[in-house]
Amino acid sequence: MVSGTENTFGSPALIATRMAPPRLADGSVQRERLLRRVCSRKGPVAPLCLVTAPAGYGKSTFMAQCLRHLENLGVSTGWLTLEADDNEGETFFYYLRAAFGRLNPSFSRKLGAPPLDLDTPAGVRRLVTEFLGSLKANKRYALFLDDYQQIESPQVHALVQYLLKHLPDNLGVFIGSRSLPPIPLSRLRAAGELLEIDSRALGFGDDETGALLREANQLQVSDDEVALLLSRTGGWAAVLQLAALSMRGSPDRGRFVSAFSGNHDSVADFLAEEVVVQMPAALADFLRRAAILERFCAPLCEAVTGDRQHSVDLARLRDARLLVQSLDEVGYWYRLHPLFRDFLLRQLASADASEHAELHRRASVWFEEEGLIPEAIQHAISAGDHGRALDLLDEQGVSQIAQGYMFQLLGLIRRLPEALLGDSLNVLIQLTWLQVLSNQLHQGRRMLDELKARSATLDLAQKVEVHLIEANLYTIDDQVEKAGQLAEQWLPQAPADPVYLRPTFRLIQGFVCYHRRDFAGAQSVAQELLATATEADLVYNQAYASCLDALVYLVGARLKQGVDAMEVQLRNLLRFVLPSSQLIALVESMLGVLYYYRGDLQRAESSFQRGLDAQRVIATLDLVIAVTRARVQLLFRQQKHEALLDYLRETEQLAQARGWKRLLACLIHERVRILLALGELPQARSRFDQWQRERATFDGLPGHTRDSLDYWSSVADARLRLAEGDIEGAEVQLQPVLREFLNGENRFRAMELHLLLARIRLAAKRDMLAKQSLESALALDTDHSTVQLFRDEGEEIIGALQSLKMDLQQAPDNSCHQIWQRQIETIITPFEGAPSAGVPGRPTELAETTSVNELTKKELATLALLVEGLSNKEISDRLCVSINTVKTHLKSAYGKLGVSRRTQAVRTLKRLGVFE
């Protein structure tokens, strides 16, 4: 559509659709998360918002949503979609003038033909000055320039650059482009006046992907299918929509999602037409050859492709948004977008097979020379050179296991023909290690039996190693005494080479000491191993020794010392292995435990996230219990109740699969504790009684397992009795357990029991005795660094600590009392002004933290039926949407209301008068 051959202002005909944003389709996914990042209640948050991403990432749609959002705030907006014709200065002038005319309609009438000197700096300055002079000081404006990648003209770049340099406070500019504009942005970036939204930010998240599939496309998909499709596409909006369209006709949607890749016809057509066709032929060929690499750097690309020009220019390819993504801060390692890589690999597969194999062979040689053995093996297998792969495994495999690359190595060995594996005893030993260390204990036992059957062919070092693997299997299976017996028998026979044999037996002896509550002995072993000079083949031993050391610091309530020691050890290990090592993740997860109880929740969360996979696979039971307890409390404090329930379910499944009864007992205590904090007493009692019946069926448990089950059950029972008002029964239940730990060295557990006893005494109105329990807990804190343990017992303890602090201030001067006062101050600081009752971490004044205006129409409609008392199924029928859609709306609304459950939402909505 055009406005006519000549408009009333003497300009050429303008295409009207270029002056309007793309129409937002009904049911399009609202990018609330990004809108909040880009727009405040007053307007754009930065003078320039630069939105750059490859085709199909939803740049234009998002900017159109920004425009509509700003218009609702009273901001005057102008939109211009750029085309190649705009490289002609006059054409760009007329369209930019029309866009400013949308900002201020009177402006166009004052400006006629473009200045003749538009291609000079003076002409640019005059033009921009006239444009900006048309804006009213008391109004707010936003100018949108989309598809800026079409612009190549230096004159147009100069005009836009001058405009950005002289932006008034009441004008914000949005630029959308497939590549970074060749405009200097450093000044704006340094001044904090540039907001950059790239493909990572534009990529859809879980909720947005779910909304696109379930609401916009009316598909019934599970959360797992949403998550899998999201991981396949990286949140690429256009490709997600193509997948959704294809899923409509798929008889097996689960299989479709699992198999979805860049090879699907609709996706391949999109990539061919929108991405590859726009590239120079040499660049497209370079990317096709580089696609054999999961990650690449300039030297590797040059070695594999032979193309030096494009290899050294990876940063430019990334900045040009050609689906080349940076993997690190320094810009050394890169990768292709996964779907784009799938597409290129398919194209490469149609080429000469010998060329494909040669590319992989070159990659294998490069990775071997760089000491990156798993990738060298991977490319040797992909080249079809199984002999080379087996040689690399035979020489380097165990060393790679010792460095923590277990998952990668196990996957590679499984790609080799089984008949070939039997040719190398060393590779069989490696495979057995991998089965055991990845907790595939049944397969590990089978392979140990096979190796023992070939005992006559094993040399001494191999024979000792087989029994070392068996001892590790017993340790992981929570049969630590059996592991200790093997260590006692075989350690004296272990040769000095390989270097990891003796230290690994000693490590097992350290865990035996820990099991026997000989914490001093356990720490002695750990520190003996940590004192040994680190080398790559000792990373496994030193990582586990560091975790054992952390456990001892934890039970001894020496958190500060523990954090200091583990941070040093983590830095040391990272000198020898990459951050991707599973052993690094294991150390980080234990460091997260210490961070948590010291009250450093942000670092705890970061450490847990990196270490969760390692915890589920290679951690021993005591490490899993320590992480589980801290992780559960952290999720609860963050009010991530859905994630918390998922985590509890996953951990319970892990415990059932491994037969870890001690973990099951710990989990029932944590479930009871959380349910009580949420006010769900009947459910907590039901869970506990069910556990007691299940526990009665357990036979033949080792002594340490029975003791652990007794402990967790007693503490959970005491918590339940307290909640039920049986205060005397709660104290009677708790006292024997407390006496046991006061006589031992587990000061941390004793502190926790003292805090629970203080709660019981507060409930009985015995405040002085409660304060005595608090003083006992403080006295047990060896380096006065425990914070979160006190906070987690709730606001009753915080109130009692405040009172104790005042008592200490009145008491005779005492250095210990001064230390306690400082520690109490640290503990209670986040709770200053908090109410005397409620759940820790829950907002106290929802009216202050809730923005009802942020609720969408669909969320309000869903909540209105919720307030009426309808179930999710009834709401689903009433609104004619799926139950998953109802759950999505409720989850989003709960987050905005600051609540976690239906009853809380109803209570909050009634109090705020939303539906009156």
Side-chain angles (χ1 to χ4, degrees), residues 523 546 549-554 557-569 590-591 594-595 598 783 785:
Q523 188 151 51
S546 184
D549 203 32
L551 285 174
V552 178
Y553 278 123
L554 181 64
R558 294 179 289 156
L559 301 182
K560 183 179 184 303
Q561 296 176 56
V563 166
D564 292 344
M566 287 206 78
E567 286 180 340
V568 168
Q569 187 58 22
M590 276 307 299
L591 187 53
L594 300 180
Y595 282 144
R598 287 202 67 190
D783 56 13
S785 58

Side-chain angles (χ1 to χ4, degrees), residues 9-123:
F9 309 129
S11 66
L14 300 179
I15 301 174
T17 51
R18 290 186 56 194
M19 309 304 303
R23 189 182 72 83
L24 295 174
D26 294 338
S28 61
V29 178
Q30 188 76 355
R31 308 302 304 275
E32 297 284 356
R33 168 178 55 89
L34 281 179
L35 283 172
R36 286 194 294 271
R37 181 176 170 187
V38 170
C39 304
S40 70
R41 294 184 184 277
K42 295 182 179 179
V45 300
L48 172 61
C49 178
L50 183 59
V51 185
T52 56
Y57 263 90
K59 298 180 296 298
S60 300
T61 300
F62 170 61
M63 293 211 308
Q65 290 184 0
C66 289
L67 180 142
R68 185 169 66 179
H69 180 77
L70 291 170
E71 286 181 339
N72 290 337
L73 295 175
V75 178
S76 293
T77 63
W79 180 284
L80 173 58
T81 300
L82 298 166
E83 292 185 353
D85 288 347
D86 291 315
N87 287 293
E88 297 294 329
E90 290 191 10
T91 304
F92 181 72
F93 161 80
Y94 283 117
Y95 273 103
L96 187 62
R97 182 186 70 172
F100 268 86
R102 296 292 179 94
L103 298 178
N104 181 6
S106 65
F107 170 62
S108 295
R109 298 182 178 88
K110 300 176 183 177
L111 193 64
L116 297 176
D117 55 351
L118 185 61
D119 57 350
T120 68

Side-chain angles (χ1 to χ4, degrees), residues 703-761:
H704 76 279
T705 302
R706 284 196 309 273
D707 292 345
S708 187
L709 268 59
D710 289 343
Y711 170 78
W712 292 117
S713 297
S714 295
V715 179
D717 195 11
R719 291 187 184 279
L720 278 165
R721 290 174 187 267
L722 173 60
E724 292 167 341
D726 181 8
I727 297 170
E728 183 179 350
E731 186 162 357
V732 168
Q733 185 71 26
L734 195 65
Q735 286 287 7
V737 186
L738 178 56
R739 282 195 297 272
E740 178 187 352
F741 278 90
L742 285 176
N743 294 329
E745 293 298 319
N746 196 330
R747 299 167 72 91
F748 191 80
R749 287 271 178 91
M751 286 175 65
E752 187 173 15
L753 295 172
H754 270 304
L755 294 175
L756 180 53
L757 181 59
R759 281 188 57 206
I760 293 169
R761 289 173 168 175

Side-chain angles (χ1 to χ4, degrees), residues 225-510:
E225 289 168 341
V226 169
L228 184 56
L229 193 57
L230 179 59
S231 69
R232 296 264 190 240
T233 62
W236 195 346
V239 178
L240 279 169
Q241 181 58 35
L242 290 171
L245 294 173
S246 300
M247 286 171 72
R248 289 179 181 175
S250 173
D252 187 342
R253 287 176 180 163
R255 173 177 287 184
F256 173 88
V257 172
S258 298
F260 185 76
S261 72
N263 297 337
H264 280 75
D265 290 341
S266 56
V267 179
D269 290 345
F270 170 77
L271 291 170
E273 294 167 10
E274 295 292 335
V275 180
V276 176
V277 75
Q278 300 186 34
M279 295 180 182
L283 173 59
D285 187 53
F286 166 76
L287 292 175
R288 264 190 290 272
R289 283 176 285 161
I292 70 156
L293 304 165
E294 292 182 8
R295 61 174 182 143
F296 47 80
C297 59
L300 173 57
C301 278
E302 185 176 355
V304 171
T305 68
D307 185 334
R308 176 172 175 75
Q309 177 186 345
H310 289 110
S311 295
V312 299
D313 222 4
L314 295 176
R316 188 187 65 79
L317 298 181
R318 174 200 62 198
D319 293 342
R321 301 299 189 257
L322 292 173
L323 298 173
V324 174
Q325 302 170 335
S326 182
L327 292 176
D328 54 39
E329 297 296 328
V330 297
Y332 186 75
W333 286 105
Y334 297 84
R335 72 166 187 171
L336 294 170
H337 186 289
L339 279 178
F340 188 43
R341 180 171 179 253
D342 286 345
F343 169 74
L344 294 175
L345 284 173
R346 185 183 183 188
Q347 289 193 327
L348 188 65
S350 62
D352 185 2
S354 61
E355 179 192 359
H356 194 262
E358 176 61 19
L359 292 172
H360 280 292
R361 189 196 66 78
R362 293 177 192 170
S364 179
V365 170
W366 188 90
F367 278 116
E368 182 189 6
E369 290 173 350
E370 294 296 315
L372 299 170
I373 303 305
E375 285 155 306
I377 296 170
Q378 173 187 327
H379 285 285
I381 294 171
S382 297
D385 192 346
H386 293 159
R388 172 177 169 76
L390 197 65
D391 288 344
L392 287 167
L393 276 168
D394 196 274
E395 296 168 8
Q396 302 281 352
V398 171
S399 178
Q400 295 300 303
I401 294 170
Q403 293 173 51
Y405 304 119
M406 280 83 86
F407 299 165
Q408 300 96 313
L409 215 58
L410 183 58
L412 292 171
I413 290 179
R414 285 172 173 166
R415 289 179 60 189
L416 289 170
E418 264 192 57
L420 196 63
L421 295 177
D423 294 342
S424 170
L425 276 173
N426 283 337
V427 174
L428 276 179
I429 289 173
Q430 291 169 31
L431 184 54
T432 309
W433 265 121
L434 291 168
Q435 300 285 12
V436 170
L437 294 179
S438 60
N439 263 292
Q440 300 179 37
L441 301 188
H442 176 73
Q443 297 94 316
R445 288 188 183 94
R446 180 178 59 79
M447 298 202 70
L448 277 170
D449 290 341
E450 183 179 338
L451 284 168
K452 288 179 180 179
R454 300 170 68 166
S455 179
T457 64
L458 302 177
D459 60 30
L460 176 61
Q462 291 172 328
K463 191 175 297 186
V464 170
E465 187 158 8
V466 168
H467 290 286
L468 177 59
I469 298 171
E470 186 177 20
N472 272 269
L473 186 150
Y474 282 133
T475 303
I476 292 170
D477 202 29
D478 201 28
Q479 300 183 60
V480 180
E481 292 296 333
K482 285 187 177 180
Q485 291 168 9
L486 282 171
E488 291 291 335
Q489 178 182 354
W490 288 96
L491 176 57
Q493 303 180 53
D497 190 49
V499 296
Y500 53 81
L501 292 180
R502 292 176 181 174
T504 310
F505 276 125
R506 280 295 285 148
L507 180 64
I508 289 169
Q509 290 178 330

Side-chain angles (χ1 to χ4, degrees), residues 599 637 787-788 790-791 798-799 801-802 805 821-834:
R637 296 204 67 80
V787 171
Q788 204 61 39
F790 291 85
R791 293 176 181 171
I798 299 302
L801 283 169
Q802 289 171 322
K805 178 187 169 189
Q821 288 177 56
R822 287 195 294 271
Q823 186 174 355
I824 291 172
E825 182 66 29
T826 302
I827 294 167
I828 68 176
T829 296
F831 289 83
E832 294 290 356

Side-chain angles (χ1 to χ4, degrees), residues 662-705:
R662 291 198 291 136
L663 181 55
L664 288 173
C666 172
L667 285 170
I668 197 63
H669 170 267
E670 297 306 311
R671 278 189 181 275
V672 165
R673 186 175 183 178
I674 294 299
L675 288 169
L676 292 177
L678 291 171
E680 303 287 353
L681 175 57
Q683 191 177 349
R685 169 54 72 183
S686 174
R687 282 274 188 171
F688 181 74
D689 291 344
Q690 180 184 345
W691 157 252
Q692 290 290 67
R693 290 191 295 272
E694 181 183 350
R695 180 186 164 203
T697 65
F698 298 159
D699 294 320
L701 297 177
H704 76 279
T705 302

